[in-house]
Amino acid sequence: MADAQAGDAVTRLGPILLFSAFVVATCGLVYELLAGTLASYLLGDSVTQFSTVIGTYLFAMGMGAWLSRGVKRNELAVFIRVEILIAAIGGGSAALLFLLFDRVGDFRLPLYGMVLLIGTLVGLEVPLLMRLLKDRLEFGDLVSKVLTFDYIGALAASLLFPLVLVPYLGLIRTGFLFGLANVAVALGLLLMLPKGAQLRGELAAGVVVAAALVAGLFGAERLQTLAEVAAYQAPVIYADSTPYQRIVLTKAGGDLRLYLNGNLQFSSRDEYRYHEALVHPALGRVARPARVLVLGGGDGLALREVLKHPGVDAITLVDLDPAMTRLFSRSAMLTPLNQGALTDRRVRVVNADAFVWLRANRGQFDAIVVDFPDPTSFSVGKLYTLSLYRELARAIAPGGIAVVQSTSPLVAPRAYWTVAATLEAAGLVTRGYHANVPSFGEWGFILAAHGPIGDAVRLPPGLHFLDAPTLAAMSVFPPDMARRPVEVNRLDNQVLVRAFDAEWSRIEG
Amino acid sequence: MRSFDLSRRGVIGSAAALAACGPTGGMPGSLGGADMARGHLLRDAFGDAVPAETRRTGIAILGGGIAGLAAAWTLAEAGYRDFRLLELEDRSGGNARSGRNAITAYPLGAHYLPIPNVEAVGVRHLLDRLGVITGWQGSTPVFDPYQLVGDPDERLLRLGRWQEGLVPTLALAKTDHDQIERFFAAMASFRDARGSDGRPAFAIPMALSSRDPTLLALDGQSWTAWLDRHGYTSAELRAHIRYVCRDEYGTEPGDVSAWTGIHYFAGRRGDAVGDGDAVLTWPGGTGHLAEAMAARVAGHVDTGHVVGRVRRRGDGVSIDALDAIRRRRVRIEADAAIIAMPRFVAAHVVEGWEGSADGFSYAPWIVANVSVDRLPGGPGAALAWDNVSATSNSLGYVVATHQGLASVGGASVLTWYLPLSEMAPARARALMQARPLADWQRIVHDDLMAMNPDLDGAISRIDVWRWGHAMVRPVPGFMWGQARQAAARFAPPLFAAHSDLSGISIFEEAHYRGTLAAEAAMREAGFAHHSLLAA
Ligand SMILES: Cc1cc2nc3c(=O)[nH]c(=O)nc-3n(C[C@H](O)[C@H](O)[C@H](O)COP(=O)(O)OP(=O)(O)OC[C@H]3O[C@@H](n4cnc5c(N)ncnc54)[C@H](O)[C@@H]3O)c2cc1C
């Protein structure tokens, strides 16, 4: 395209160019707000996220402005290309970042990469616009007009974003919508170009981007779930946020998985290994496990194993979340897994906080199965303290036994042996063992009783994992899992949470 | 006779300044405080009118804060039955009272008690009787783990990130780091030091501290002057010291003596099996202990009794009070009186004590209890019991439900503290009275938001409590000067007992003063007893 022709075109395009300053400013700020909001959603700490995103964005805009000097001719064509690029990248940014969040090691990398890229492109816009308009307006007028539209656009964005866009459209669709505005500017300019000056390639690209954005706008609903699915590696078939936790079930092939707050609880492929290992070494050591207590385990899978023992008269199951126990007593998809254990007439379900319940409890039990979530926070960490184990010791009947799931002795040996040392500090005799559960890794358990814990275990028939030789092997701790000196975990030092966090972050990065 | 039949509403309701205000500016809450108008009633209002009723008792305890309750407890422990405790407010506990809502109990003032020193014999006895001490290993107490503050106990927001502990540790310049180390080493040697008389340099109760003149000389200079002289210039260190000073004394480091400044760091040698530096806390703060003490002596307590005049009569004491509940004047004839009211009140109502509060000044405090429907978080260290921001002028907040056992956090109450230490106390008290609830709420809200933007939308209620005379101020020269020492001296049949007399407003001091006074009164009455202060 000859420069003369282009100059001509620019003259005719004056008003629409000024209008595009407004659109461009609105879109630019929206992308910045999108990135900031997303970062604080996904990374937490809104103040830090917002200020670093905004800082990076402004810096990138400066780079863009500086780079604009490199554009020596063809400003209009460059401007149109920039618009199409911003439409594609900025418009798709929210969707892309959501999808990437759980797939990349460090989410900040794509986040700030994206912010830099969009910022640079947006930084190019206004200088280019000014140069396009410089011959139509005298300098003072030019600066004042462009900046006015720019600031009005910024105002519009900052009002629309929190009041209308986020509540009504959500982040992903907001992105697509403003991408469309950018591409509309590009297409508008392209269509108004004189016949001889047409830019076919740009036109085609603009149309493709616009079509993709429209598709995204309407398909966003699916994308939203896609983002959650991405986090779980398998289709989400059930999701519920209760006052206590987020319950998510996924299913791929024959594999049903339960996640609580994003942490895997079981995979139907190998949960039998976990639950057989959790329950039978304890119950098989009691002469007659008539009264059984299960703490945690609202999925009913441990219950299923407990019920395999003859002589069980009454089981009390204490789980925090009524939504969990309801789901696993009623759902036709889940009851086959626990074989309806939660509705067995011998089972009494109590929905209460285990510590509070145990402290008030005056009853005694022949066997107690303690299946709490891992000590990932100080509030859950309380369930592994000396104070809780003292209450636990009171609840173990003479001749009775307890078993505690106690994280992986391979990944977190300090954490594992802290549980043992703490149970011992409560006056109990302990005996550790471990089992391989493929979806978890090498997993650890600790038996605790008032007196010595022998080797003899009576296993009920029909188990898939445990037999005598396996049981014997489970008691062997090779050097990499061997006992080490640790402190007792107390309410006022919470050493377990600290050890657990340090050891697991070593492998999870 | 002009009736003294002041209506409960007139005297108490409005005075209580409790005036439960409805939602202001949309935020529900209330504005409360120590009952100033009941306090102001005092002597003038009593005149010479004839009392409607005259009662007799052996020992009258006037004021039911920790000191008064400790005195009552001590008498009860000794088997001395003939005593009454008169308390102006509707509930005993004084500055250690707590509040309660649907979520939890929470402190209105005092929130914790450090593990007591060996020499705090009386407090250890109390904690043993209340089951806070569950047993002894030899002569070392074992504390109930449920009452020791749970981990994590403290965190500090600095440079946009929460760190564990209140002493800055992250990204310190070398000079800051070195000065902090040097400072704490110096304080540790003060802690272990003994004076020429063989007593600990700094003890709790403070009365048991060494009288070594070189140590007492520290009382003559300001804390700031001492810090300057010893080259403690690091802004990070000074910010921490200022925080501690305001937290403990409600007063700026420039306004307290070096002796008191050091006392905070050097006075504690907590004695326990396990961690002696730990503290004890309860959802309602030390109000928990006040309530337990009050329960032990319940039959002896007359709340809603405003003591207006105390006179010596023959060998005994005559006390005029307003029974605000039955709306009439009562006179109590007693053999002896334990004056457990703050000094500025006592000086006003005890005949012959006019002017005896000269030299006593008081720090005003604001305490806000903020109901939240979810717990705060933030970048870095996880939520702790005590949460402080290095950039805020408030002292941050403690979490009332921290000691709870629930493994999933939900609604809670955050108790937020602000000593009005930056202006003269009288001006601050005037401001405190003038500022409406909505303004206080906005201040509290904005401060919390700056610390925890994640609380946006989570605050459902802000209740503001004003303490006009929250704590005695240990200004230079006060601890070891004439005024305090003279005020603390017993003048049978009057026995002064209040934390004011220690110059340091903490539970142990109030408790010590009450116990000491009760035992002196029993001695005077010739009542044989075993001392709770004897090791
Ligand atoms: C905001 C705040 C936070 C604090 N935090 C802590 C803490 O964490 N740990 C700690 O150890 N200490 C703390 N303290 C200090 C502690 O609360 C006090 O040292 C202690 O409670 C004082 O007890 P007291 O009996 O000496 O005095 P007060 O509590 O002042 O008791 C005096 C009593 O006398 C009554 N009275 C007054 N006038 C009359 C009258 N005319 N007739 C009848 N009765 C009258 C009052 O109503 C009151 O009940 C804090 C104080 C405040 C204000």
Side-chain angles (χ1 to χ4, degrees):
Chain A
M1 180 178 70
D3 274 345
Q5 256 179 329
D8 233 336
V10 168
T11 317
R12 297 185 7 186
L13 294 175
I16 175 173
L17 278 173
L18 269 180
F19 177 68
S20 60
F22 167 77
V23 175
V24 155
T26 317
C27 294
L29 192 60
V30 165
Y31 300 140
E32 178 181 342
L33 292 172
L34 272 178
T37 314
L38 241 161
S40 38
Y41 271 22
L42 298 177
L43 298 174
D45 181 26
S46 47
V47 175
T48 313
Q49 299 310 338
F50 259 100
S51 50
T52 47
V53 162
I54 289 174
T56 312
Y57 195 84
L58 287 177
F59 168 70
M61 281 178 67
M63 286 204 321
W66 185 77
L67 287 175
S68 70
R69 351 175 285 164
V71 182
K72 295 280 190 264
R73 26 184 246 108
N74 275 358
E75 287 97 333
L76 184 60
V78 174
F79 180 74
I80 288 172
R81 278 177 220 144
V82 167
E83 283 311 295
I84 296 172
L85 270 176
I86 295 184
I89 302 173
S93 61
L96 194 66
L97 288 174
F98 255 121
L99 283 177
L100 282 178
F101 176 62
D102 274 283
R103 306 196 172 178
V104 293
D106 191 345
F107 176 68
R108 280 168 294 198
L109 230 67
L111 172 70
Y112 288 106
M114 196 77 101
V115 170
L116 272 174
L117 195 60
I118 300 173
T120 310
L121 289 169
V122 171
L124 279 165
E125 290 177 317
V126 170
L128 286 176
L129 260 179
M130 290 212 179
R131 279 161 56 186
L132 285 168
L133 288 163
K134 71 174 189 295
D135 296 328
R136 256 182 57 85
L137 303 165
E138 77 99 346
F139 183 69
D141 203 15
L142 168 73
V143 172
S144 117
K145 279 211 169 111
V146 170
L147 287 187
T148 305
F149 279 105
D150 188 61
Y151 287 126
I152 295 177
L155 175 68
S158 57
L159 291 179
L160 279 173
F161 189 79
L163 298 179
V164 182
L165 301 173
V166 176
Y168 295 105
L169 285 182
L171 295 178
I172 294 183
R173 275 191 283 183
T174 298
F176 287 138
L177 186 68
F178 282 79
L180 273 173
N182 276 122
V183 80
V185 167
L187 290 176
L189 288 171
L190 283 169
L191 293 177
M192 291 181 70
L193 283 178
K195 271 259 143 37
Q198 281 205 339
L199 301 163
R200 280 174 209 285
E202 278 78 349
L203 193 62
V207 169
V208 169
V209 168
L213 289 170
V214 170
L217 194 57
F218 291 101
E221 211 65 75
R222 283 213 47 211
L223 253 174
Q224 203 75 275
T225 33
L226 208 69
E228 184 149 13
V229 171
Y232 289 105
Q233 304 153 0
V236 172
I237 54 167
Y238 175 91
D240 184 22
S241 290
T242 78
Y244 303 102
Q245 56 199 344
R246 180 150 179 86
I247 304 176
V248 168
L249 286 167
T250 70
K251 194 163 189 175
D255 186 16
L256 182 72
R257 288 175 176 231
L258 169 70
Y259 294 84
L260 297 181
N261 296 331
N263 298 318
L264 177 63
Q265 302 301 303
F266 70 76
S267 149
S268 62
R269 285 242 169 88
D270 58 18
E271 59 79 13
Y272 67 93
R273 279 187 159 234
Y274 178 86
H275 291 104
E276 286 185 14
L278 173 68
V279 170
H280 302 302
L283 269 78
R285 280 182 163 93
V286 187
R288 182 169 171 259
R291 298 157 298 171
V292 180
L293 172 66
V294 179
L295 299 174
D299 54 27
L301 299 174
L303 273 187
R304 176 195 67 204
E305 297 302 318
V306 171
L307 287 166
K308 289 180 182 166
H309 282 263
V312 171
D313 291 337
I315 312 176
T316 306
L317 178 126
V318 182
D319 190 283
L320 186 61
D321 194 349
M324 260 298 275
T325 45
R326 210 178 312 124
L327 180 67
F328 279 86
S329 354
R330 294 194 192 153
S331 158
M333 175 178 62
L334 300 171
T335 46
L337 270 182
N338 60 30
Q339 295 170 4
L342 280 161
T343 47
D344 188 286
R345 57 175 177 77
R346 286 165 290 177
V347 174
R348 184 170 72 102
V349 174
V350 179
N351 292 120
D353 198 279
F355 204 144
V356 179
W357 185 89
L358 193 61
R359 214 179 156 201
N361 162 63
R362 291 290 167 267
Q364 287 204 320
F365 301 87
D366 305 305
I368 303 180
V369 177
V370 183
D371 193 12
F372 291 138
D374 289 337
T376 49
S377 73
F378 290 108
S379 36
V380 178
K382 293 176 185 173
L383 298 172
Y384 291 81
T385 55
L386 179 58
S387 296
L388 185 121
Y389 292 153
R390 287 206 171 121
E391 311 291 354
L392 184 71
R394 277 198 306 111
I396 304 174
I401 196 164
V403 61
V404 180
Q405 91 79 3
S406 9
T407 189
S408 167
L410 182 63
V411 175
R414 268 200 298 137
Y416 177 82
W417 292 110
T418 299
V419 176
T422 307
L423 282 162
E424 288 160 12
L428 296 165
V429 176
T430 68
R431 175 168 177 158
Y433 62 94
H434 55 93
N436 191 280
V437 184
S439 58
F440 285 4
E442 198 63 36
W443 214 256
F445 307 86
I446 297 168
L447 294 166
H450 295 299
I453 301 168
D455 291 333
V457 180
R458 267 173 300 101
L459 293 175
L463 302 186
H464 303 291
F465 175 52
L466 290 188
D467 59 12
T470 311
L471 270 174
M474 281 162 62
S475 290
V476 179
F477 281 82
D480 57 354
M481 304 196 276
R483 181 144 189 173
R484 49 210 75 198
V486 287
E487 257 187 273
V488 171
N489 186 42
R490 299 191 317 260
L491 283 171
D492 69 345
N493 69 4
Q494 294 252 22
V495 289
L496 178 68
V497 173
R498 296 164 196 280
F500 181 91
D501 186 58
E503 293 181 317
W504 278 92
S505 58
R506 231 178 22 211
I507 65 150
E508 286 173 350
Chain B
M1 178 187 86
R2 218 181 55 217
S3 159
F4 198 67
D5 205 359
L6 291 169
S7 85
R8 185 168 159 69
R9 233 186 135 42
V11 182
I12 298 144
S14 67
L18 250 168
C21 301
T24 320
M27 175 63 74
S30 65
L31 192 55
D35 196 332
M36 297 197 187
R38 263 197 211 176
H40 286 152
L41 206 68
L42 302 183
R43 194 164 160 187
D44 326 325
F46 282 77
D48 281 318
V50 177
E53 180 193 340
T54 302
R55 306 172 189 164
R56 239 220 61 82
T57 190
I59 298 176
I61 302 169
L62 313 181
I66 298 300
L69 290 169
W73 169 285
T74 304
L75 296 180
E77 280 294 277
Y80 186 97
R81 297 243 157 65
D82 186 19
F83 71 92
R84 303 299 309 170
L85 185 154
L86 308 187
E87 165 57 46
L88 173 146
E89 306 275 356
D90 295 337
R91 280 189 304 141
S92 57
N95 289 352
R97 270 173 294 163
S98 36
R100 175 178 289 281
N101 64 17
I103 303 168
T104 174
Y106 50 77
L108 291 174
H111 51 292
Y112 75 101
L113 173 66
I115 298 266
N117 292 357
V118 177
E119 69 266 22
V121 179
V123 172
R124 300 218 303 181
H125 176 269
L126 174 75
L127 297 180
D128 189 51
R129 292 297 306 269
L130 294 182
V132 181
I133 292 174
T134 55
W136 297 77
Q137 270 177 27
S139 60
T140 310
V142 179
F143 286 87
D144 177 11
Y146 294 111
Q147 303 185 60
L148 285 170
V149 68
D151 183 57
D153 57 347
E154 297 166 334
R155 65 171 183 168
L156 173 69
L157 179 64
R158 197 175 138 261
L159 307 174
R161 230 184 135 67
W162 292 95
Q163 59 146 77
E164 287 198 45
L166 296 183
V167 181
T169 51
L170 299 175
L172 283 179
K174 182 161 166 25
T175 52
D176 292 321
H177 179 265
D178 293 350
Q179 283 196 25
I180 289 174
E181 292 229 311
R182 182 162 67 85
F183 176 78
F184 281 99
M187 294 301 120
S189 54
F190 274 124
R191 188 190 60 219
D192 301 334
R194 287 185 176 261
S196 51
D197 51 6
R199 293 188 184 189
F202 297 89
I204 298 172
M206 58 74 70
L208 305 183
S209 302
S210 168
R211 301 297 196 277
D212 187 330
T214 53
L215 289 166
L216 298 196
L218 290 166
D219 195 42
Q221 54 189 306
S222 83
W223 187 207
T224 311
W226 188 92
L227 291 165
D228 287 342
R229 177 137 1 101
H230 289 82
Y232 295 115
T233 52
S234 153
E236 300 285 355
L237 172 62
R238 292 291 280 259
H240 175 71
I241 291 173
R242 174 172 185 255
Y243 159 77
V244 161
C245 196
R246 294 172 75 230
D247 192 47
E248 197 68 5
Y249 309 123
T251 306
E252 299 287 329
D255 296 332
V256 306
S257 77
W259 193 92
T260 342
I262 297 171
H263 186 277
Y264 170 82
F265 293 100
R268 301 223 166 271
R269 288 169 296 273
D271 178 46
V273 173
D275 181 9
D277 292 333
V279 305
L280 298 156
T281 190
W282 304 267
T286 53
H288 170 82
L289 298 176
E291 281 160 28
M293 282 195 274
R296 168 99 167 74
V297 296
H300 296 270
V301 178
D302 299 313
T303 53
H305 277 59
V306 186
V307 173
R309 173 141 81 166
V310 180
R311 281 175 293 182
R312 291 165 184 270
R313 258 291 171 73
D315 288 346
V317 193
S318 167
I319 298 142
D320 285 346
L322 170 70
D323 176 345
I325 292 155
R326 285 189 283 168
R327 303 177 184 184
R328 55 185 187 164
R329 268 194 51 192
V330 296
R331 174 162 296 165
I332 293 106
E333 308 282 3
D335 297 335
I338 293 171
I339 318 288
M341 303 177 282
R343 195 66 189 176
F344 74 95
V345 178
H348 206 59
V349 303
V350 180
E351 250 180 32
W353 278 18
E354 293 85 358
S356 73
D358 291 352
F360 286 74
S361 70
Y362 295 86
W365 279 66
I366 294 290
V367 177
N369 277 289
V370 182
S371 300
V372 291
D373 47 28
R374 65 184 126 87
L375 291 171
L383 181 67
W385 165 66
D386 190 6
N387 304 268
V388 177
S389 163
T391 51
S392 167
N393 216 24
S394 80
L395 301 178
Y397 58 87
V398 297
V399 181
T401 54
H402 181 79
Q403 296 297 97
L405 298 174
S407 53
V408 174
S412 189
V413 172
L414 312 178
T415 309
W416 178 95
Y417 290 90
L418 176 71
L420 300 178
S421 54
E422 287 177 306
M423 55 185 102
R427 248 196 79 204
R429 276 189 284 276
L431 174 86
M432 183 179 248
Q433 287 309 305
R435 192 171 272 167
L437 173 64
D439 289 14
W440 284 122
Q441 288 180 322
R442 191 166 32 73
I443 291 170
V444 177
H445 177 274
D446 291 354
D447 187 64
L448 274 176
M449 250 359 126
M451 290 171 81
N452 282 100
D454 54 314
L455 278 180
D456 194 13
I459 297 178
S460 56
R461 181 178 176 91
I462 301 179
D463 294 299
V464 176
W465 193 269
R466 300 169 299 185
W467 294 108
H469 297 79
M471 295 176 170
V472 63
R473 296 165 79 231
V475 297
F478 182 72
M479 294 302 285
W480 297 105
Q482 262 313 302
R484 187 197 64 79
Q485 301 196 61
R489 227 164 274 139
F490 295 142
L494 302 180
F495 299 88
H498 189 276
S499 52
D500 284 3
L501 306 175
S502 290
I504 296 178
S505 180
I506 52 175
F507 183 91
E508 299 99 307
E509 296 292 351
H511 185 270
Y512 175 72
R513 296 286 163 188
T515 311
L516 198 66
E519 295 192 345
M522 286 191 287
R523 245 192 329 275
E524 188 72 17
F527 189 85
H529 63 280
H530 169 78
S531 172
L532 299 183
L533 298 175

